[in-house]
Amino acid sequence: MSLKAIAKELGLSVTTVSRALNGYDDVSKETRARVEAEAQRRGYRPNTFARRLKMGKIDAVGLVFPVHPVPLNNSVFMEMVGEISHELARHEIDLLLIADDDLADKHSYMRMVQSRRVDALIVAHTLDHDPRLEQLQSIGFPFLALGRSQLPQPYAWFDFDNYAGMYHATRWLIDKGHQRIALLGENNSQAFITQRRQGYLDALAEAGLSSEWLRTMPPSRRAGYTTTRDLLSLASPPTAILTDCNTHGDGVAMALSQRGRLTGDNAVSLVVYDGLPQDSIVDVDVAAVIQATRQGVGKQIADMVLRLINGEDIAQLQVLWQPGFSAGQTA
């Protein structure tokens, strides 16, 4: 099936049909809609390689994520990645996953950049001072940071207000009368982790409460489970526990459930960032900091990447989402 057949059927030039299918803005919306409808009816598929050469685009975006800790076992992260990939695919753009070791001498994402195998990068799990973003900014390569960092020039970013989410969750527990409040957090310096921890610390400091029940550990169910058992064995155990990820939260919930401390008069109040995983064996509605639906996040990020590739002003590509809160039934 050729462009000529579509052009003849619609009474248009081959050039007009080609430009309509390739998204040029000098073709009216009505004409583009007619061409796309006819192409779809005929099952026409453009020569993707030829189109890429002509327009100077690869139609691929790389998503850079850290090797340590590996976020691929995080259901929230993977659901978000799936939605981003789905949305980009609607625009004939592939999403490539690029694992990066921040301790390596050479970074895999730079090979993709230098060989021009991607049009832009999405950089996940950013640091407060992120050398990856500094390097990309210095060479002028387009990127969208998932998280804010300290950079010399403006850049495109998407983030949740992680500080506010944990601050308000901690204040909520304080207002309920809790004075011994634990936080189980990840043991790394990624920006969203440090922001959540700081929200917890600031809320405690304002209330004149101790942070002695703060614990850091790898993001695993086992770590959440064993740390909770250790906390409960203290002479002055916490009466409430916050977790900065739902993997920890699942381990905490299992430990509390086994001790009969998840519900009832002797329950330890539990607040889980992102809520318990969908596959949790704990069938209790715990309190949760809720960021957004994965579908909504995926669409937002994909839209921002498309606008970035098309050269939109960086100042229009900075989005901060406010978290919500669900009280659950365990507080």
Side-chain angles (χ1 to χ4, degrees), residues 218-286:
S220 71
R221 289 176 172 83
R222 181 182 297 276
Y225 177 85
T226 57
T227 302
T228 301
R229 290 176 63 92
D230 291 341
L231 286 170
L232 294 178
S233 67
L234 295 174
S236 297
T239 61
I241 298 175
L242 294 151
T243 74
D244 72 359
C245 68
N246 64 359
T247 307
H248 286 154
D250 202 24
V252 174
M254 286 188 283
L256 293 178
S257 180
Q258 288 183 0
R259 293 288 187 91
R261 304 291 302 277
L262 188 58
T263 58
D265 295 337
N266 198 32
V268 173
S269 293
L270 173 62
V271 181
V272 178
Y273 222 103
D274 288 318
L276 292 180
Q278 292 183 355
D279 62 349
S280 175
I281 63 173
V282 176
D283 189 22
V284 174
D285 181 25
V286 305

Side-chain angles (χ1 to χ4, degrees), residues 177-208:
H178 293 283
Q179 296 187 354
R180 302 195 303 273
I181 303 173
L183 170 65
L184 275 61
E186 294 189 41
N187 56 347
N188 63 69
S189 58
Q190 292 170 3
F192 75 100
I193 296 298
T194 60
Q195 290 162 10
R196 293 175 186 178
R197 184 182 303 132
Q198 195 61 50
Y200 162 80
L201 292 173
D202 286 355
L204 291 182
E206 289 176 6

